[in-house]
Amino acid sequence: MAILPRFSTPGNVADANPDAWSETVLTLFDSVSAFTHFYDPTKVDTPDDAIVAPVVWPAFPASLPGPFVERLELADTHRGTQDEYCEWAVERNNAGKITRVTFTTEVPEYFEHLFETDQDALLELYHELVSTEVVLADLADEDGSYLRRNRWNDSPRGRPAHLMQGSNTLPAAVTLAAQATVLRERNGTPVTHPQALVVCSQLGEPLRGSDPQIASAVNAAVASGASVTLSDPVGLYIDGLITGGIETPDGTNPASFWTVERGDASHILRAAFEVREGEGHGYVVGDIKVDGRPIEFGGQLAVRVRVRIKAIVKAGSQPPARLPCEP
Amino acid sequence: MTCAVFARDVSLDTEGIHRLVVGEDQDPRPLSTAGAADELGDDFATLVLLQGAFPQSAEETVEAIKEAVPAGHRLRDQMTFVLGEGSQIAFSDQSAAIERSIRFVVTLGATANGPPEGPDILVSVFDPRQTGIELMAWDHRSGGFNYYRSMGRPSAWVFAGNSRHALVEPTEGKGPFESHKSGALLMKELKVPWVHWDSSFAHINATAFSPDDERRQHPWFTNKQPGGAYAFEFEVARPAIARWAKARFEALRASTGPIERPARIIEQVVATPTINIVSSIRESVAANMSTKPIELPATFFVDADGLAEVGLQGPPQFTVTGQIYAQSLQTFDVQLTDGGGFSQAGDTHFAFAVPERALEDVVVVREALAMGLLSRRLAACLLMTDFPNPIFSERRAALLAHVPPTAVVMNGGSSFSQETADAILAAAAEAPEGAPEREFAKRWAVGEDFDGTFNGLLRTYYDAVNAQLETQDGFDAYFQLAESRRQRVRDTMPIFESPLLFATTNIAPAALSMREDGSVR
């Protein structure tokens, strides 16, 4: 693989200013350069025998408390609860039945990049993804900066533009991966299990499905002496929809209702589950059953939407010394 | 243990197909090609065995199936999963001798993106390079999974039965159906966090193997499915369990005569033929490092899954403080032991692993309701009898005695539910105070519009449980109840295959049960 010439855009999407985006990611990697076993692939060689280590988790927030149905309701009504680097929004018909659920893993930093480098492209993207009614003024705050939680990207209903939950950011993912290269011990015993590692290193919420797994995978690799980085294009991706247990009224394969809307085939940034009008099915998403129950919440699908990040593991022989848990 | 017959050291013709359906066959017997072709309609038989190929190792078996189909065929889609009761104990000098029971499950015919019915073939083995293989393959002709074992050294392939053999005498409960009680796929640790599995909640790292164990480098380990048990639950286990249940009930619908022995179905509603295992989503070690409350599995307290099938209210999130949990671990001297000398203080990797109602039984409730065999009222009244004991309820199981010998379902309706209720009510009239029939009669008397009353009962119970969980004595009692249920699994269920399945305690064996007021007797 050698030296990466520059960081690619998320999902390899077309961009008029790819160097500017690469610079954004580069700055991010520079900010964690103190972590010796986390490396910048644009500066350090990645050999051909480096291992790609995918880490996968469900989009539905694992740490959300309460009975399952209440969790489904809560997740569907507050995007802020969707903290697994994947958010979704739901559209319903007049009868209240779900007609479409749209999932996104696209980081807000990329939209900020567009705001700063190509506002026409940003507006066009909003028109394509969210609504043709969006105007540029809707997307800026009083200071003229890009507004992540703008009125078009602040709702669990309709169509999301990109991630907006406070923890769902590219810096959060990169920093977590870098911090997870620190090996830990507690009372002389290595701390390796995902939740324990997150608690020990104070890396956030141990019950999340995402962060503990990312941290644990990175940490296990570094314990063998390896160095790690994140696979290019750096980002969080939708790995797919698990269709097992989804039953359509007419027996149509539910996978046919899953449409990738953004990103390339290997790096899906956005996808929607929808029974398209005009195909003669005569039903909507809300008529489809999951595990014997009609889809009443987007969360029923989110449980089955896989989110992924890929680490690159470069073999080495010198693991760092283990440090005690953070006080 | 009739399943043990497959471990016998026998000498069989390795170039032939054998049949050992325990209950019908005394010993493995050769099947003629015509006989095998007549009985076996799955892809493993038709593409491999009946073509004269008899692979030895598990990896040869998987490759033989894949090579038998053209590129692009779904059977070339492979997923590999890893699990093991001792898989979270890193290899060290101290832990070198532990029997970690690490094993591989390979599926063919599905990816993490489908199809909705799951894979057609599953292969389970301890070492990909060895024999001792368990294989399940969907029979496209007759429905249900065909169960195979590789037997002897060198090994021969033995057909051990179809899912339908689990449901009828003389094969019921024998051979593979000791564990696969209703003929369904078994994933013991079905739900998040899938204790003992490599998953999106816990990785099984190479450090679980000894440094010279070649499985560390085997592609089945290095290329195991990302997300592990997360994908297995939703793309393999749930679809496979539902697939067989649907085929089973479709066959009943298609039958022109009455349903014989409907008690075989109702047993899965009121009794506990088998179990799944569920735990807190919190690592037991992390629980001890944090002041946050520990989430307890709701199905320990109530049959949340079964009650959901009849539309009754689900329980709240039950929790206990880390301090109370930690004290219980000390009080009851909780240890992980392998029965061979290894012992480690503390609970299973995820805290508070307990048996719960098996999904295969929940799905039967769903299918029986959909078919019209069970009315919602009968199902609710059965499940609400002794509801504080979601599994191992002798009281609820006693109602099985009143199930009529046959049932007729026509056009989605049946008098079976009324007949069953009438039989229980008649028995209740003669039964002493406190009899389960009396309790059922009280539930039945609520009438068709039972939701409010039953939900009220459940809410009162949930409040009582929550109050108990705030005290050390209250949680200690639940810990003892949990241990009594675990002991029941150890003592009576062949799916208890490793001492590391559960932690051990100093609690004396006792048959404990929960009361409606949240206390344990």
Side-chain angles (χ1 to χ4, degrees), chain A residues 242-247 254 290-292 304, chain B residues 74 79 81 107 109-120 122 136 138 144-145 183-187 190 229-247 359-360 363 366-367:
Chain A
I242 295 177
T243 55
I246 301 181
E247 286 178 84
V290 171
D291 284 339
R304 287 171 157 74
Chain B
R74 65 183 262 183
M79 293 191 287
F81 304 89
T107 67
T111 70
N113 295 326
E117 68 270 24
D120 286 333
L122 297 102
M136 293 169 65
W138 183 257
F145 285 101
L185 169 75
L186 179 64
M187 180 190 189
L190 179 90
Y230 165 47
F232 196 91
E233 176 190 346
F234 290 108
E235 200 56 80
V236 180
R238 287 182 183 271
I241 290 166
R243 189 181 194 183
W244 164 231
K246 280 190 180 302
L359 176 69
E360 64 188 75
V363 171
R366 183 183 305 161
E367 291 293 337

Side-chain angles (χ1 to χ4, degrees), chain B residues 340-372:
Chain B
F342 170 80
S343 187
Q344 172 181 294
D347 208 345
T348 39
H349 179 66
F350 290 103
F352 202 71
V354 289
E356 66 166 356
R357 175 196 267 278
L359 176 69
E360 64 188 75
D361 297 336
V362 175
V363 171
V364 159
V365 174
R366 183 183 305 161
E367 291 293 337
L369 285 165
M371 183 188 187

Side-chain angles (χ1 to χ4, degrees), chain B residues 102-371:
Chain B
I102 295 175
R103 51 201 180 275
F104 297 82
V105 181
V106 170
T107 67
L108 297 174
T111 70
N113 295 326
E117 68 270 24
D120 286 333
I121 296 177
L122 297 102
V123 178
S124 174
V125 73
F126 287 96
D127 189 326
R129 299 154 303 170
Q130 294 182 1
T131 60
I133 306 160
E134 296 178 357
L135 187 149
M136 293 169 65
W138 183 257
D139 193 311
H140 298 287
R141 214 164 48 216
S142 61
F145 285 101
N146 288 336
Y147 288 74
Y148 294 90
R149 289 290 300 261
S150 66
M151 203 175 159
R153 283 177 193 274
S155 67
W157 282 100
V158 177
F159 169 60
N162 175 279
S163 297
R164 65 182 180 278
H165 285 111
L167 306 174
V168 292
E169 293 289 1
T171 51
E172 182 177 3
K174 299 188 178 80
F177 310 115
E178 278 187 340
S179 298
H180 301 264
K181 282 291 186 181
S182 67
L185 169 75
L186 179 64
M187 180 190 189
K188 282 195 288 271
E189 305 89 347
L190 179 90
K191 292 179 188 166
V192 64
W194 312 283
V195 62
H196 307 315
W197 283 71
D198 178 80
S199 76
S200 61
F201 258 68
H203 304 143
I204 296 180
N205 293 320
T207 50
F209 297 105
S210 71
D212 59 352
D213 192 322
E214 293 181 9
R215 289 179 295 177
R216 277 176 169 239
Q217 304 300 329
H218 195 280
W220 286 10
F221 184 73
T222 56
N223 296 330
K224 57 186 181 293
Q225 185 67 24
Y230 165 47
F232 196 91
E233 176 190 346
F234 290 108
E235 200 56 80
V236 180
R238 287 182 183 271
I241 290 166
R243 189 181 194 183
W244 164 231
K246 280 190 180 302
R248 176 184 172 188
F249 279 81
E250 277 302 323
L252 292 177
R253 285 188 184 93
S255 170
T256 51
I259 297 170
E260 298 292 335
R261 213 176 140 219
R264 182 65 184 82
I265 295 169
I266 304 305
E267 180 190 13
Q268 292 186 254
V269 180
V270 299
T272 312
T274 188
I275 49 103
N276 287 140
I277 294 168
V278 67
S279 69
S280 169
I281 58 172
R282 204 170 283 272
E283 290 171 6
S284 53
V285 173
N288 285 326
M289 293 166 65
S290 168
T291 56
K292 292 194 173 180
I294 297 165
E295 302 76 8
L296 300 172
T299 50
F300 172 71
F301 299 97
V302 72
D303 181 10
D305 299 327
L307 294 177
E309 295 297 329
V310 293
L312 291 174
Q313 188 175 344
Q317 176 71 70
F318 296 111
T319 62
V320 65
T321 67
Q323 293 90 332
I324 290 178
Y325 168 71
Q327 182 57 53
S328 291
L329 296 187
Q330 284 211 345
T331 302
F332 299 118
D333 190 23
V334 177
Q335 305 269 336
L336 270 184
T337 57
D338 70 345
F342 170 80
S343 187
Q344 172 181 294
D347 208 345
T348 39
H349 179 66
F350 290 103
F352 202 71
V354 289
E356 66 166 356
R357 175 196 267 278
L359 176 69
E360 64 188 75
D361 297 336
V362 175
V363 171
V364 159
V365 174
R366 183 183 305 161
E367 291 293 337
L369 285 165
M371 183 188 187

Side-chain angles (χ1 to χ4, degrees), chain A residues 283-307:
Chain A
Y283 56 86
V284 295
V285 171
D287 297 311
I288 296 172
K289 290 183 177 178
V290 171
D291 284 339
R293 298 197 184 92
I295 296 175
E296 296 176 74
F297 305 99
Q300 287 168 273
L301 291 170
V303 168
R304 287 171 157 74
V305 171
R306 302 187 310 276
V307 187

Side-chain angles (χ1 to χ4, degrees), chain A residues 99-234:
Chain A
T99 56
R100 180 163 58 179
V101 186
T102 306
F103 296 86
T104 180
T105 57
E106 197 152 14
V107 292
E109 290 76 17
Y110 183 71
F111 282 67
E112 284 175 345
H113 153 78
L114 286 181
F115 185 84
E116 288 159 13
T117 61
D118 192 346
Q119 294 194 344
D120 289 343
L122 175 68
L123 194 58
E124 191 178 329
L125 191 56
Y126 260 86
H127 288 173
E128 178 194 336
L129 300 182
V130 183
S131 168
T132 53
E133 296 175 30
V134 181
V135 295
L136 210 50
D138 295 336
L139 309 181
D141 64 15
E142 293 170 351
D143 300 329
S145 301
Y146 179 69
L147 190 57
R148 296 179 178 190
R149 294 183 68 153
N150 60 68
R151 59 178 287 236
W152 297 102
N153 189 42
D154 193 28
S155 173
R157 293 176 292 281
R159 299 269 277 169
H162 55 73
L163 299 173
M164 54 74 91
Q165 201 272 353
S167 302
N168 293 338
T169 67
L170 189 60
V174 172
T175 304
L176 173 81
Q179 290 176 333
T181 60
V182 178
L183 305 183
R184 299 286 182 179
E185 64 178 10
R186 185 170 181 257
N187 301 328
T189 303
V191 177
T192 57
H193 297 317
Q195 293 175 16
L197 182 64
V198 163
V199 173
C200 178
S201 295
Q202 296 191 359
L203 297 176
E205 168 54 57
L207 290 189
R208 283 176 77 180
S210 49
D211 288 352
Q213 312 314 315
I214 299 168
S216 167
V218 167
N219 198 260
V222 172
S224 72
S227 294
V228 298
T229 190
L230 295 175
S231 176
D232 185 72
V234 178

